[in-house]
Amino acid sequence: MAFSYLISHVRHISRNVCQGFHLPNAKLLYNFDSLKINKILPRLASTKAVLENNSTHDADFSKDDKDYKIYKPSTPQAWITSLDGEPKGIVELDRRVFTANPRLDIMHRYVVWQLAKRRAGTAKTKNRGEVRGGGRKPWPQKHTGRARQGSIRAPHFRGGGVIHGPRPRSYDFTLPRKVRSMALRVALSVKFTQGDLHIVDSLCLEDHKTQHLKDMLDNRQWYSVLFVDGNTLIDRNLRLASKNIPNCDSLPSMALNVHMMLKRHTLVLSLHAVKLLQERLVKDLAEQTWDKYDFKMSSFDSTWESDYYTREVEELNELQEL
Amino acid sequence: SACISGSTKKMIPILSSSVFRSRNFLITTAYTAWSRRIAASTQGVRKPQHEINYNVYPHIPLREIESISGWVPPLDSPPPLPFRINRSKSNNIPVYSEIRKGRTLHLTIIRKIEGDLRALSDGLRRLLGENTQIQINEVSGHVIVKGRHTKPITKWLLHLGF
């Protein structure tokens, strides 16, 4: 049952899943004047780029070798935009986190664990000892012509106790740490390859007015959103503004979970969250020997790059004050 | 106790008390020989060590494994192949043996593969013989080979430079 719900939310996983919708050519970065970026979402932009450059979504198999092609993994890239949709730059992502194999079974395990551990487990029935009455033998053992009975609240009696009924219990179990991190990696990859992942430079809102945020979401046609920001703290304005909007949630990156990611259609990460998630979700994996990953981003205007770093420092100061 | 063949058994005078014991002995020896013959024919015959040719890809020079333990670190750049095999967390080749079905089914599993799995399976066929049974799991990036081939496969991958 849970698995079919998963599949209905995970659409279009093709064979070329691991390569995803990212810009295949670095030259494209400087040809953006010709494209109407404000109206085109990253997914459409990348497909348009594909058509222009006649390149495919497959991994870059070079044809230099006579007999054998060479496997060259391409680093996935994503647009960085402002919340309004203005493109601000491009970031290179860790391919182990954002182009992992689509392991739906691992995501299923995570969701089952999540939903089980939050169960109240308060169901309870009375057994024959707890039902009121039934202490006396209803009729003598012999010579009544009836079957021998010991108590009126035995399970085969009407109004009797329940055999092995539910008792208050905990449905919690510990899912292995590595399975949990893998499930998050798979979920992020699924969102990225389906084009439902958007990276925003910062999720700091100017004011906490719900209507402003709702208008912005309607403009971008995000009717079901999950905002992920920071480590343990979200921007106060974002939290207040998104509280009352239906189908809109905001989470710190430590609280990211697969159930919420599948429930909400679009996933919006701040740059800070991307950096933290990539560091955290890669700890369980072995060290890379080739094509090591470096957090690289290129911004079209250099001013806001400094803002991104100052925000990190502000958050650290906030934590120290607490 | 010496293994007595059927012809010599007839020549020895058989006492009535030992008939039962000798009959059992005859039956057990015949049974084990028969089962051994069946097992030998059905089991996948492994290529003996001296017959394995590690030079599956002639355009890649095989590097020597100079260490005594048999472990060498991976090369600085990966070999020019359509697949890539990453090291495990303990920096070893991720080839594992698995035994199932009451110790009768031996498998070799190769994990942590990126790239073209079919090319890897073709390479394995050239290494281990054309009739080896290989199964591919694209979603998890596993290749499963029937039979216990961990040592030849790890050696081959180390020679390649993974």
Side-chain angles (χ1 to χ4, degrees):
Chain A
M1 184 193 81
F3 202 71
S4 62
Y5 138 82
L6 255 180
I7 289 194
S8 66
H9 282 76
V10 172
R11 4 156 234 144
H12 183 233
I13 295 186
S14 65
R15 243 199 133 207
N16 302 324
V17 116
C18 294
Q19 279 66 45
F21 298 101
H22 52 273
L23 298 174
N25 228 333
K27 290 175 194 170
L28 259 181
L29 297 178
Y30 309 106
N31 291 340
F32 62 90
D33 294 322
S34 54
L35 304 170
K36 296 177 186 175
I37 291 172
N38 286 331
K39 293 184 185 175
I40 294 174
L41 299 168
R43 171 161 49 157
L44 290 174
S46 66
T47 53
K48 201 167 180 181
V50 156
L51 289 169
E52 282 173 3
N53 288 295
N54 295 323
S55 52
T56 58
H57 283 296
D58 292 321
D60 187 16
F61 288 118
S62 75
K63 291 166 191 175
D64 297 330
D65 248 8
K66 290 172 201 173
D67 301 319
Y68 306 106
K69 302 172 180 174
I70 301 174
Y71 170 69
K72 270 184 201 156
S74 48
T75 46
Q77 291 170 329
W79 290 107
I80 308 172
T81 63
S82 69
L83 259 184
D84 304 319
E86 240 188 271
K88 297 265 181 167
I90 285 164
V91 68
E92 279 186 6
L93 303 170
D94 196 343
R95 62 189 160 93
R96 296 182 292 173
V97 177
F98 286 95
T99 53
N101 281 342
R103 299 277 260 122
L104 301 186
D105 56 321
I106 301 271
M107 280 210 290
H108 172 258
R109 275 181 78 180
Y110 189 104
V111 173
V112 163
W113 167 69
Q114 244 194 293
L115 298 180
K117 72 186 180 70
R118 73 180 195 180
R119 280 180 77 163
T122 47
K124 184 170 185 251
T125 56
K126 290 181 163 49
N127 60 21
R128 62 183 286 176
E130 289 165 347
V131 175
R132 182 101 172 143
R136 181 181 60 204
K137 195 170 169 63
W139 46 82
Q141 180 79 2
K142 297 185 74 64
H143 309 305
T144 52
R146 304 193 63 178
R148 50 192 174 182
Q149 308 294 353
S151 129
I152 255 182
R153 302 304 185 198
H156 59 285
F157 267 84
R158 178 190 170 275
V162 175
I163 317 170
H164 296 314
R167 294 265 126 180
R169 63 171 174 140
S170 157
Y171 289 85
D172 186 16
F173 59 95
T174 340
L175 192 68
R177 249 189 309 114
K178 295 184 184 182
V179 175
R180 284 185 238 175
S181 81
M182 188 181 193
L184 287 171
R185 274 182 272 127
V186 170
L188 285 171
S189 328
V190 159
K191 287 288 176 194
F192 175 68
T193 54
Q194 286 180 165
D196 295 327
L197 186 80
H198 302 271
I199 299 181
V200 172
D201 55 346
S202 85
L203 280 172
C204 297
L205 297 181
E206 285 149 4
D207 65 338
H208 58 272
K209 194 99 181 84
T210 312
Q211 192 56 49
H212 295 167
L213 183 64
K214 184 108 192 356
D215 292 336
M216 192 272 298
L217 292 180
D218 288 338
N219 277 342
R220 295 207 73 172
Q221 294 186 325
W222 288 345
Y223 298 119
S224 168
V225 202
L226 177 63
F227 291 110
V228 181
D229 185 23
N231 210 354
T232 44
L233 304 168
I234 325 168
D235 183 40
R236 182 175 171 269
N237 289 337
L238 175 68
R239 185 166 44 89
L240 292 172
S242 62
K243 246 169 68 169
N244 207 19
I245 305 174
N247 298 328
C248 172
D249 296 309
S250 58
L251 286 178
S253 76
M254 283 300 265
L256 188 62
N257 53 80
V258 175
H259 178 67
M260 286 267 240
M261 282 164 80
L262 292 176
K263 204 169 175 191
R264 301 295 170 222
H265 193 266
T266 40
L267 180 65
V268 179
L269 300 173
S270 71
L271 255 188
H272 190 38
V274 166
K275 200 173 173 221
L276 290 167
L277 279 172
Q278 280 178 152
E279 280 170 10
R280 185 162 63 96
L281 295 179
V282 146
K283 278 183 192 168
D284 285 326
L285 295 174
E287 260 185 51
Q288 278 180 312
T289 35
W290 309 294
D291 290 323
K292 283 191 183 170
Y293 172 72
D294 272 321
F295 184 77
K296 267 184 221 159
M297 59 181 186
S298 56
S299 58
F300 301 146
D301 27 284
S302 55
T303 48
W304 65 269
E305 247 185 85
S306 52
D307 292 339
Y308 159 71
Y309 286 116
T310 50
R311 177 140 193 280
E312 223 181 293
V313 171
E314 274 170 27
E315 221 186 79
L316 285 169
N317 291 337
E318 257 180 284
L319 284 170
Q320 280 167 5
E321 279 162 35
L322 293 171
Chain B
S1 57
C3 188
I4 310 164
S5 65
S7 53
T8 52
K9 194 79 174 130
K10 287 173 195 166
M11 288 161 66
I12 299 165
I14 299 162
L15 297 170
S16 59
S17 59
S18 64
V19 159
F20 186 70
R21 263 182 284 129
S22 55
R23 183 171 144 274
N24 264 1
F25 184 68
L26 258 178
I27 287 167
T28 48
T29 46
Y31 176 75
T32 48
W34 165 78
S35 65
R36 257 184 271 126
R37 244 179 278 134
I38 297 272
S41 63
T42 50
Q43 248 174 32
V45 182
R46 209 153 43 128
K47 255 187 180 179
Q49 289 280 324
H50 55 272
E51 275 184 25
I52 294 174
N53 176 25
Y54 291 107
N55 200 10
V56 170
Y57 301 113
H59 68 283
I60 299 171
L62 299 180
R63 67 164 183 174
E64 287 175 19
I65 303 170
E66 300 121 351
S67 71
I68 306 162
S69 65
W71 182 87
V72 278
L75 288 174
D76 290 330
S77 71
L81 286 169
F83 56 90
R84 202 183 273 188
I85 293 173
N86 301 309
R87 293 278 178 123
S88 73
K89 241 185 162 180
S90 51
N91 230 346
N92 287 305
I93 297 275
V95 173
Y96 309 101
S97 73
E98 194 171 328
I99 308 172
R100 311 186 91 179
K101 284 195 175 172
R103 298 191 204 172
T104 56
L105 181 62
H106 291 262
L107 300 170
T108 315
I109 300 178
I110 308 167
R111 283 187 63 236
K112 292 175 117 5
I113 309 168
E114 290 174 4
D116 196 358
L117 293 168
R118 276 174 213 270
L120 174 58
S121 70
D122 291 339
L124 282 172
R125 285 223 169 78
R126 269 179 257 166
L127 181 79
L128 300 167
E130 284 301 321
N131 294 329
T132 42
Q133 292 185 40
I134 300 179
Q135 191 184 56
I136 291 172
N137 188 341
E138 297 256 10
V139 178
S140 57
H142 289 1
V143 166
I144 305 171
V145 187
K146 190 173 178 189
R148 200 179 225 153
H149 306 283
T150 46
K151 279 186 182 169
I153 293 176
T154 47
K155 240 184 151 182
W156 174 57
L157 294 173
L158 283 170
H159 277 306
L160 283 178
F162 281 118

